[in-house]
């Protein structure tokens, strides 16, 4: 996996400069997968991204205001982010993409799916925010420390240590604060969900895979059932020994679920 | 010189051990520890203190508000302001202040303040604050838009006070299609606005740009001087000369008829386990987006326990030595306050007289000595130093009512 060659570029979509990482086969027929990252931003490289890039043309855009993308001060909702990412797909002339949304990115993916219900090949939501959990609440960033919050995404703290180091760097803490500020700007109230999204998902044509870690302490698993109910063609997979960040804690297990779902190409 | 009495209105009857066990005394410390029987007793104690303060001749009674914490029982400063408007006769009601960003409806706030001004027959000073970080979380208000909401709510309140209605207000954070309050302030053009603060440069700059007096809250002499340096430089930019009428200062001063007892009671200024506003997780007191972006890196280091508090932590003894806490008989207190007046030259001075578990009897003694002995002496000193309050200097309520502007930068005058 270490041999995967990632390119960095800046793409302008909707007047916003987005940072884009891209890797994988470039043959014309290769399926494009757009991975939408968490509200904690994203690291530049992750084993999960590499695992997908072995099969697909993988795009990891940094959300506006997160990680290496600039912050649009006008932005007020997660739906705005979804529209900008839709613009990114148009800019890159990508059609029929599969979306893989991780946590907060799952909310963005679901919004994107609701906007143009017929033009996605597949929708994968992993521990997705965006819907009010019928039982329990989404963990509140605002009252949780940076490291405590990031650690809550993992079932096994050794997995956190492997990804971020036992003591994350000051650069990482600062980035978490920048990402947190953007999350407040666009998802403050109601916190981390949309009241209208569940009603808008009924038209989505693409098959959907809803994945949850069996020990998700960030988004209660009850939200998974709500997504399954709202999406016409959805199935649920639970990943064992995983917290909210399935992509970082069980990257191989998640990648194989996705490859099985989308197909090898 | 404008001389005021202040108390945080401590909820001194909460079980201290509960806070220590929980590890915090702000925002999330459960209100199961709030006893309303004690709350009732304490609110009435504070009314008694304010009435005595008026009786012994203070110029103003300073009020504030905080949420979800035992260090301050005022969840809505306008409630006490309304009480004092009806119960007192002479003292100014100085609100320092209403947290503007917490207002979902600034027009309602403008109405309440106008009512207080009319009922008090024009004794309102309507200070405004941003509110601490935890106040945003306690009220569900987005901390990332705190400063934008502060400035926009201020604009709307002032327009509701001064512009004939009905009019329409379409802002970024506030939209009001019909602004036409049937309650406007008695004082014209509008009640004086003072702006208290602790640390944010942005707030000092904003206050100076409006020509609103800035009230430094318990800063050291050196910090206070730096604040006035910045304020005066902005004042010069927009065309006026900053002076005592632009400067206020709040300081913790406990007065007693006995030196030892005064010092013992003054220890109560550190009653919230040494913290100014109770022990809080740093991300509660400074949620992301609330603080200045220039302080982000230093803040995350502190918030993750890898650096000491950028605001600094000082012991009781150090604060006594730095004259941030003063305690003693009127004679010792006046001598120390004189030094502060000479060095920092404020025209507004508030004494934060009692805190924590100081008994009601000792609190009343303190207020009596402040009014009968400390303030008369301070008035004489202020006269000799030519420290005029905004009232004495007849200072304009806002920059736009100035008649003496000589802007260094023409464009900045607007």
């Amino acid at each position: 996996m270490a041999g995967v060659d990632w390119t960095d570029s800046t793409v302008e979509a909707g007047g916003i400069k987005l940072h884009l990482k891209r890797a994988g086969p470039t043959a014309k027929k290769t399926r494009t997968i757009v991975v939408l990252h968490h509200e904690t931003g994203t690291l530049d490289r992750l084993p999960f991204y590499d695992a997908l890039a072995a099969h697909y043309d993988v795009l990891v855009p940094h959300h506006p205001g997160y990680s290496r993308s600039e912050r649009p001060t006008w932005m007020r909702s997660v739906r705005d982010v979804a529209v900008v990412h839709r613009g990114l797909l148009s800019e890159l002339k990508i059609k029929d993409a599969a979306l893989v949304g991780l946590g907060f990115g799952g909310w963005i993916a679901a919004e994107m799916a609701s906007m143009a219900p017929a033009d996605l090949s597949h929708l994968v939501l992993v521990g997705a925010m965006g819907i009010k959990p019928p039982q329990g609440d989404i963990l509140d960033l605002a009252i949780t420390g940076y490291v405590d919050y990031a650690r809550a995404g993992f079932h096994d703290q050794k997995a956190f240590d492997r990804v971020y180091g036992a003591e994350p760097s000051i650069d990482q803490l600062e980035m978490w604060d920048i990402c947190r500020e953007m999350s407040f700007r666009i998802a403050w109230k109601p916190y981390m969900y949309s009241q209208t999204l569940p009603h808008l998902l009924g038209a989505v044509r693409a098959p959907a895979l809803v994945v949850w870690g069996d020990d998700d302490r960030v988004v209660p698993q009850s939200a998974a059932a709500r997504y399954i109910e709202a999406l016409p063609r959805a199935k649920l997979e639970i990943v064992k020994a995983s917290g909210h960040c399935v992509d970082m804690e069980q990257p191989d297990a998640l990648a194989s679920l996705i490859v099985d779902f989308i197909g090898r190409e | 010189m404008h001389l005021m009495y202040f108390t945080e209105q401590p909820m001194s009857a909460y079980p201290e051990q509960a806070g220590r066990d929980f590890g915090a005394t702000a925002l999330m410390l459960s209100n199961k520890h709030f006893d309303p029987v004690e709350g009732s007793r304490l609110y009435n104690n504070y009314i008694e203190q304010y009435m005595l303060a008026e009786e012994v001749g203070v110029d103003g009674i300073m009020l504030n508000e905080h949420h979800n914490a035992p260090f301050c029982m005022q969840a809505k400063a306008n409630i006490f302001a309304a009480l004092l408007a009806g119960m007192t006769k002479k003292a100014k009601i100085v609100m320092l202040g209403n947290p503007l960003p917490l207002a979902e409806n600034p027009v309602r706030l403008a109405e309440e303040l106008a009512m207080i001004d009319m009922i008090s027959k024009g004794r309102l000073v309507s200070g405004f604050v941003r509110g601490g970080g935890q106040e945003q979380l306690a009220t569900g208000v987005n901390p990332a838009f705190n400063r934008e909401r502060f400035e926009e709510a201020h604009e709307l309140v002032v327009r509701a006070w001064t512009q004939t209605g009905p009019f329409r207000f379409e802002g970024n954070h506030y939209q009001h299609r019909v602004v036409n309050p049937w309650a406007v302030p008695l004082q014209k053009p509008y009640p004086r606005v003072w702006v208290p603060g602790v640390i944010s440069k942005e707030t000092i700059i904003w206050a100076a740009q409006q020509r609103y007096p800035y009230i430094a809250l318990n800063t050291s002499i050196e910090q206070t001087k730096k604040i006035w340096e910045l304020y005066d430089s902005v004042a010069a930019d927009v065309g006026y000369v900053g002076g005592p009428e632009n400067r206020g200062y709040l300081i913790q001063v406990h007065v007693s008829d006995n030196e030892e007892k005064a010092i013992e009671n003054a220890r109560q200024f550190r009653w919230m386990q040494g913290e100014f506003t109770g022990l809080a997780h740093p991300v509660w007191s400074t949620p992301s987006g609330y603080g200045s972006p220039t302080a982000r890196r230093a803040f995350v280091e502190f918030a993750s326990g890898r650096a000491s508090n950028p605001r600094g932590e000082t012991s009781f003894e150090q604060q006594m030595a730095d004259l941030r806490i003063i305690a003693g008989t009127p004679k010792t207190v006046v001598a120390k306050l004189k030094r502060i007046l000479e060095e920092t030259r404020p025209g507004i001075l508030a004494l934060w007289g009692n805190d924590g578990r100081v008994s009601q009897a000792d609190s009343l003694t303190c207020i009596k000595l402040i009014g009968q002995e400390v303030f008369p002496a301070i008035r004489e000193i202020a006269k000799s130093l030519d420290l005029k309050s905004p009232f004495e200097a007849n200072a304009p309520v806002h920059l736009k009512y100035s008649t003496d502007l000589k802007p260094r930068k023409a464009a900045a005058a607007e």
Side-chain angles (χ1 to χ4, degrees):
Chain A
M1 297 292 180
V4 177
D5 193 15
W6 288 90
T7 60
D8 285 279
S9 61
T10 304
V11 183
E12 199 167 310
I16 300 164
K17 289 190 181 73
L18 294 177
H19 188 82
L20 178 68
K21 305 275 299 182
R22 191 168 190 170
T26 50
K28 256 194 170 175
K29 279 187 170 176
T30 307
R31 167 84 57 210
T32 295
I33 291 195
V34 180
V35 179
L36 300 154
H37 63 74
H38 292 277
E39 75 288 354
T40 43
T42 181
L43 297 175
D44 264 358
R45 296 286 298 267
L46 282 173
F48 172 66
Y49 299 163
D50 285 351
L52 290 183
H55 302 276
Y56 311 107
D57 167 30
V58 179
L59 275 68
V60 185
H62 293 188
H63 307 321
Y66 292 81
S67 291
R68 291 158 74 177
S69 290
E70 67 180 17
R71 176 198 295 163
T73 53
W74 54 264
M75 204 168 252
R76 287 293 184 275
S77 74
V78 172
R79 202 162 281 174
D80 295 342
V81 178
V83 173
V84 167
H85 282 324
R86 277 266 166 217
L88 174 73
L89 296 186
S90 306
E91 189 64 33
L92 298 173
K93 299 186 169 53
I94 291 168
K95 281 181 185 159
D96 212 24
L99 301 184
V100 174
L102 307 171
F104 173 70
W107 179 5
I108 299 168
E111 294 281 0
M112 289 174 74
S114 74
M115 287 167 189
D119 83 341
L120 294 177
S121 78
H122 299 80
L123 179 65
V124 180
L125 305 178
V126 186
M129 295 171 178
I131 286 187
K132 184 185 180 189
Q135 283 94 39
D137 294 304
I138 295 170
L139 181 65
D140 190 354
L141 264 174
I143 55 173
T144 314
Y146 305 100
V147 177
D148 289 346
Y149 183 84
R151 282 193 175 278
F154 290 79
H155 163 74
D156 180 356
Q157 293 309 310
K158 285 191 200 106
F160 173 91
D161 297 349
R162 276 198 299 278
V163 175
Y164 290 109
E167 195 162 302
S169 68
I170 299 297
D171 284 344
Q172 179 62 70
L173 293 169
E174 202 177 2
M175 183 49 75
W176 279 335
D177 188 69
I178 289 168
C179 293
R180 189 177 272 225
E181 181 174 345
M182 190 63 191
S183 295
F184 290 171
R185 294 176 76 92
I186 60 175
W188 180 258
K189 201 188 262 190
Y191 178 68
M192 283 296 178
Y193 65 85
S194 153
Q195 285 164 324
T196 56
L197 178 62
H199 305 282
L200 297 169
L201 291 175
V204 173
R205 306 272 181 87
L209 173 66
V210 176
V211 183
W212 235 263
D214 68 347
D215 183 28
D216 192 327
R217 289 180 287 136
V218 178
V219 183
Q221 214 185 92
S222 67
R226 192 75 189 85
Y227 266 113
I228 296 287
E229 195 181 286
L231 288 159
R233 299 171 62 196
K235 64 171 182 174
L236 177 67
E237 292 281 357
I238 302 294
V239 176
K240 285 195 177 144
S242 180
H244 174 68
C245 300
V246 187
D247 54 304
M248 288 186 266
E249 186 153 21
Q250 299 290 353
D252 295 337
L254 181 59
S256 28
L257 280 174
I258 292 171
V259 171
D260 287 347
F261 176 60
I262 296 178
R264 288 169 201 278
E265 291 172 36
Chain B
M1 174 62 77
H2 183 82
L3 295 166
M4 306 189 284
Y5 173 69
F6 172 69
T7 167
E8 279 276 13
Q9 295 201 10
M11 203 311 166
S12 55
Y14 91 104
E16 188 180 344
Q17 195 53 42
R20 292 193 185 276
D21 293 346
F22 180 63
T25 50
L27 190 68
M28 303 286 282
L29 174 64
S30 173
N31 66 359
K32 72 182 175 194
H33 302 296
F34 186 98
D35 176 354
V37 174
E38 288 297 305
S40 172
R41 174 180 66 82
L42 288 165
Y43 279 131
N44 285 287
N45 278 357
Y46 298 133
I47 290 174
E48 188 185 9
Q49 291 184 19
Y50 294 139
M51 296 310 287
L52 176 63
E54 154 127 324
E55 194 187 315
V56 297
V58 302
D59 299 323
I61 293 168
M62 168 179 163
L63 302 171
N64 72 338
E65 81 173 55
H66 286 281
H67 299 263
N68 294 31
F71 76 89
C72 174
M73 283 179 69
Q74 284 202 81
K76 184 73 183 162
N78 286 0
I79 293 201
F80 261 87
L83 285 174
L84 294 177
M87 292 175 81
T88 60
K89 297 279 178 259
K90 291 176 293 187
K92 302 274 186 198
I93 299 159
V94 181
M95 315 193 62
L96 296 176
N98 265 291
L100 283 177
L102 304 191
E104 291 300 346
N105 178 1
V107 179
R108 163 61 71 87
L109 189 58
E111 288 172 320
E112 289 172 1
L113 291 166
M115 289 173 69
I116 292 165
D117 195 42
M118 288 183 284
I119 294 165
S120 68
K121 300 177 185 167
R123 288 182 288 129
L124 174 66
V125 173
S126 174
F128 293 126
V129 297
R130 295 167 64 207
Q134 55 232 31
E135 321 307 337
Q136 321 298 313
L137 302 180
T139 51
V141 169
N142 197 330
F145 297 121
N146 175 274
R147 200 166 284 283
E148 288 180 27
R149 286 172 68 96
F150 176 85
E151 293 187 14
E152 199 173 304
H154 167 261
E155 183 194 342
L156 177 49
V157 168
V158 169
R159 283 183 58 187
W161 280 347
T162 54
Q163 184 178 336
T164 306
F167 65 89
R168 185 161 167 166
F169 187 90
E170 296 288 341
N172 285 325
H173 299 281
Y174 300 104
Q175 296 85 27
H176 291 260
R177 300 217 289 280
V178 183
V179 182
N180 190 29
W182 268 70
V184 290
L186 178 64
Q187 297 179 84
K188 299 296 171 196
Y190 57 86
R192 288 183 184 276
V193 172
W194 299 350
V195 178
V198 185
I199 197 167
S200 309
K201 278 189 177 166
E202 289 92 336
T203 306
I204 301 163
I205 292 169
W206 184 84
Q209 285 168 340
Q210 316 304 312
R211 207 170 183 170
Y212 287 156
Y214 182 85
I215 316 297
L217 301 178
N218 229 71
T219 44
S220 68
I221 289 178
E222 284 317 303
Q223 286 170 321
T224 312
K225 282 182 173 172
K226 280 193 185 127
I227 289 171
W228 303 141
E229 227 171 80
L230 175 60
Y231 189 105
D232 291 350
S233 137
V234 176
D237 284 345
V238 295
Y240 67 97
V241 180
E245 72 274 20
N246 306 109
R247 301 172 174 188
Y249 186 56
L250 166 72
I251 177 165
Q252 295 176 322
V253 177
H254 184 76
V255 191
S256 173
D257 46 19
N258 166 320
E259 297 286 344
E260 287 78 42
K261 192 176 186 182
I263 290 172
E264 208 37 54
N265 274 338
R267 287 186 186 279
Q268 289 294 312
F269 287 125
R270 313 279 292 171
W271 79 299
M272 294 306 319
Q273 295 160 41
E275 290 287 326
F276 203 88
T277 55
L279 277 183
H281 192 294
V283 302
W284 305 347
S285 36
T286 311
S288 300
Y290 171 84
S292 171
T294 54
R296 196 188 298 273
R297 196 168 176 89
F299 174 73
V300 297
E301 286 192 77
F302 159 61
S304 58
R306 301 198 201 157
S308 60
N309 190 340
R311 292 189 190 189
E313 285 155 16
T314 43
S315 65
F316 174 74
E317 286 71 22
Q318 190 60 48
Q319 295 219 353
M320 288 277 287
D322 291 348
L323 297 189
R324 292 169 73 182
I325 294 176
I326 295 176
T329 57
K331 197 177 162 198
T332 32
V333 165
V334 168
K336 288 179 176 179
L337 284 173
K338 182 167 184 252
R339 204 185 125 204
I340 291 175
L341 299 186
E342 285 167 347
E343 296 239 15
T344 64
R345 300 188 52 78
I348 301 161
L349 181 70
L351 300 193
W352 175 349
N354 302 288
D355 206 0
R357 298 184 176 85
V358 173
S359 71
Q360 178 70 350
D362 287 358
S363 298
L364 296 174
T365 301
C366 170
I367 293 164
K368 205 170 145 191
L369 293 172
I370 283 177
Q372 294 179 344
E373 299 190 34
V374 177
F375 280 178
I378 296 292
R379 278 195 190 94
E380 288 311 309
I381 296 166
K383 228 178 259 170
S384 71
L385 294 173
D386 197 25
L387 302 178
K388 287 199 174 79
S389 74
F391 306 104
E392 292 159 332
N394 197 23
V397 166
H398 184 273
L399 183 80
K400 69 181 172 196
Y401 303 107
S402 307
T403 51
D404 57 348
L405 294 184
K406 289 179 190 139
R408 199 152 69 183
K409 292 175 191 165
E414 181 52 42

